[in-house]
């Protein structure tokens, strides 16, 4: 029997009992919808957790610290930097050197009107900032001597010497707090560091160094990379070393790095790279210790929700089996005639399996379409029933947290799984059909 003949007979047999076929397809449809929607809720939960953690810091950053504050054999030096850059999965590396001084003052404005009585100054490899994931609110990274990148809220550290004490600083925490915990209506600072000439004054052990600096960029606050991204100053390692050497005078000594930032290519690389660094004798810090338990919890919930949906599909499988057995009982004479005419047993088996598989395919296909529409509706309700939220509800976004996420692989899996459920359910009835003797089938009424 030709494939097109099998296909035609499959369609004719399914349409012969429309109500029965419809109800069987409906069972598969409900089971498929249950699986897709349940798993999509678990995926949405996982993405929401990762975005929440991402707000706390970069999930792909590992901070390397020397044991016992740098004492002993394990040192944070240029040799270590080279080793870390050669590790598999590492995208970028930078050493961090903190300015350790008794007094650090920042001056700005004409006649040095604005003064910041403290500031965290950090030296990093400014050429690696972009690859390390530093995000800039404004400007560019520093490349020349004297250029720096300032923290997002550094301006709020300055006081206005022309105003009375107690009313000479702007409190950025005086704004309102929205439902997500973000500050709104924040009052503007007195100055913009990007538009002012800045002077850095540092005092240590009786030595004082004055250094004019130019802010060429402003970083977005990210505590996974350090508090300096909020209200500090980031300059090149070479500039900071020169500054420290001037402070030391004739008492020059080697200055070890305070820490090292390592960025890996993806979240799945963090655990392996972190273990390898620890095996070298260094301490590490990352968001992995928080993310891993949360990911396991989300996976367990996802499996539980998917299992509940699978139960519905297994119930639908019983419906397919029942439908095919009833179909065989009604078509016993037809089977006998087909055998008498010389039809191969394989063709009879394929015919019944095709009908079962078609039921599974139709139910899975319709279930996926309805599930995708239901997922979009759920996201629209959570984001707000606004036409502008339709696209974010479908594709998401950096600041968008969707309740339900239906990736393409989930839809493909649901359809394939539904077809296999149909074929599995039709296997027993198909074998039963081919075992019926031709003469007995012809005599059947």
């Amino acid at each position: 029997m030709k494939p097109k003949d099998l296909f035609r007979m499959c369609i004719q047999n399914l349409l012969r009992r429309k109500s029965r076929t419809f109800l069987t397809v409906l069972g598969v449809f409900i089971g498929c919808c249950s699986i897709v929607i349940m798993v999509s809720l678990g995926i949405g939960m996982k993405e929401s957790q990762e975005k929440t953690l991402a707000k706390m810091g970069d999930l792909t950053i590992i901070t390397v610290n020397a044991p016992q504050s740098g004492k002993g054999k394990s040192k944070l030096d240029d040799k270590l930097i080279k080793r870390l850059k050669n590790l598999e999965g590492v995208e970028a590396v930078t050493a961090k050197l903190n300015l350790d001084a008794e007094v650090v003052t920042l001056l700005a404005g004409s006649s040095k009107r604005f003064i910041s009585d403290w500031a965290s100054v950090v030296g990093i490899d400014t050429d690696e900032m972009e690859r390390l994931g530093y995000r800039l609110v404004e400007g560019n990274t520093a490349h020349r001597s004297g250029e720096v990148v300032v923290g997002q809220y550094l301006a709020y550290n300055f006081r206005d010497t022309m105003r009375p004490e107690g009313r000479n600083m702007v409190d950025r925490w005086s704004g309102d707090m929205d439902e997500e915990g973000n500050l709104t209506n924040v009052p503007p600072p007195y100055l913009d560091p990007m538009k002012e000439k800045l002077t850095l004054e540092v005092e240590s052990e009786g030595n004082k160094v004055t250094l004019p600096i130019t802010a060429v960029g402003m970083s977005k606050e990210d505590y996974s990379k350090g508090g300096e991204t909020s209200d500090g100053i980031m300059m090149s390692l070479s500039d900071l070393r020169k500054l420290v050497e001037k402070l030391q005078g004739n008492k020059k000594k080697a200055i070890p790095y305070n820490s090292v930032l390592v960025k890996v290519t993806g979240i799945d690389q963090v655990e392996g790279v972190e273990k390898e660094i620890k095996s070298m004798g260094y301490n590490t810090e990352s968001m992995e210790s928080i993310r891993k338990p949360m990911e396991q919890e989300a996976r367990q919930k996802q499996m539980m929700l998917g299992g509940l949906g699978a139960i519905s599909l297994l119930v639908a499988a019983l419906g397919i089996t029942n439908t095919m057995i009833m179909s065989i009982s009604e078509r016993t004479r037809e089977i006998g005639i087909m055998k008498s005419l010389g039809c191969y047993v394989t063709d009879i088996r394929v015919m019944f399996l095709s009908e079962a598989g078609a039921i599974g395919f139709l139910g899975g296909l319709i279930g996926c379409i309805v599930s995708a529409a239901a997922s979009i509706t759920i996201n629209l309700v959570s984001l707000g029933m606004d036409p502008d939220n339709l696209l974010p509800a479908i594709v998401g976004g950096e600041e968008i947290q969707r309740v339900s996420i239906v990736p393409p692989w989930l839809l493909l899996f649901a359809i394939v799984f539904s077809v296999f459920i149909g074929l599995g359910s039709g296997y027993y009835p198909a074998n039963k059909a081919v075992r019926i003797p031709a003469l007995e089938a012809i005599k059947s009424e």
Side-chain angles (χ1 to χ4, degrees), residues 61-273:
I61 288 288
I62 302 172
T63 303
V64 183
N65 300 307
Q68 301 177 2
S69 301
K71 297 177 181 179
K73 295 182 179 180
S74 300
K75 300 285 187 180
L76 299 179
D77 51 20
D78 293 327
K79 185 178 179 181
L80 172 65
I81 301 298
K82 291 181 181 178
R83 290 180 65 188
L84 294 177
K85 287 183 177 180
N86 291 326
L87 292 180
E88 184 178 356
V90 172
E91 183 176 352
V93 179
T94 183
K96 287 184 67 175
L97 181 62
N98 299 334
L99 176 60
D100 186 12
E102 297 166 4
V103 179
V104 179
T105 306
L106 267 177
L107 308 172
S110 58
S111 303
K112 300 179 180 178
R113 173 180 174 178
F114 303 102
I115 300 176
S116 174
D117 297 310
W118 63 275
S120 58
V121 181
V122 176
I124 61 174
D125 186 349
T126 52
D127 292 332
E128 292 282 89
M129 289 185 71
E130 186 175 349
R131 294 178 62 196
L132 282 161
Y134 281 86
R135 290 184 292 174
L136 298 181
V137 178
E138 185 180 350
N140 304 297
T141 55
H143 296 290
R144 298 177 182 177
S145 179
E147 293 182 343
V148 300
V149 176
V150 298
Q152 186 174 1
Y153 302 111
L154 175 69
Y156 290 95
N157 290 354
F158 286 90
R159 56 184 173 85
D160 187 351
T161 57
M162 302 294 290
R163 297 174 183 265
E165 191 71 27
R167 289 187 296 170
N168 58 351
M169 294 188 71
V170 179
D171 183 10
R172 75 181 181 95
W173 300 105
S174 60
D176 300 324
M177 195 80 72
D178 61 15
E179 295 179 355
E180 298 181 357
N182 299 318
L183 283 171
T184 59
N185 301 322
V186 180
Y190 290 135
L191 77 159
D192 183 354
M194 297 286 293
K195 298 178 181 179
E196 298 285 349
K197 292 183 179 180
L198 304 177
T199 302
L200 179 64
E201 291 186 353
V202 184
E203 293 184 32
S204 180
E205 298 179 359
N207 296 325
K208 182 177 180 179
V209 176
T210 301
L211 178 68
I213 55 177
T214 303
V216 295
M218 182 179 292
S219 68
K220 185 175 178 59
E221 185 180 55
D222 185 352
Y223 279 97
S224 69
K225 297 180 178 67
E228 64 275 2
T229 58
S230 176
D231 54 11
I233 295 174
M234 290 153 280
M235 63 174 59
S236 66
L237 285 166
S238 58
D239 280 357
L240 187 57
R241 282 193 179 279
K242 291 176 183 177
L243 177 61
V244 173
E245 287 173 358
K246 289 181 181 179
L247 285 172
Q248 291 178 348
N250 297 326
K251 302 177 182 178
K252 293 183 179 180
K253 58 180 180 180
I255 308 169
Y257 298 128
N258 297 94
S259 60
V260 177
L261 292 184
V262 178
K263 184 175 177 63
V264 296
T265 53
I267 296 175
D268 55 337
Q269 300 282 344
V270 174
E271 185 177 6
V273 173

Side-chain angles (χ1 to χ4, degrees), residues 373 375-377 379-380 383-396 400 402:
S375 174
I376 295 171
T377 303
N379 292 331
L380 270 176
L383 297 174
M385 298 298 290
D386 190 321
D388 293 336
N389 290 331
L390 180 59
L391 187 60
I394 298 173
V395 300
I400 302 296
R402 293 177 290 172

Side-chain angles (χ1 to χ4, degrees), residues 326-340:
M326 291 179 65
S327 178
I328 291 168
S329 300
E330 294 173 353
R331 295 157 58 188
T332 304
R333 189 177 183 84
E334 178 186 330
I335 295 170
I337 293 172
M338 291 175 67
K339 286 188 173 183
S340 300

Side-chain angles (χ1 to χ4, degrees), residues 50 58-60 264-272 288 291-292 295:
E50 288 186 352
D58 193 333
L59 300 179
T60 59
V264 296
T265 53
I267 296 175
D268 55 337
Q269 300 282 344
V270 174
E271 185 177 6
E288 187 71 7
R291 188 192 70 84
K292 202 70 175 177
E295 184 183 24

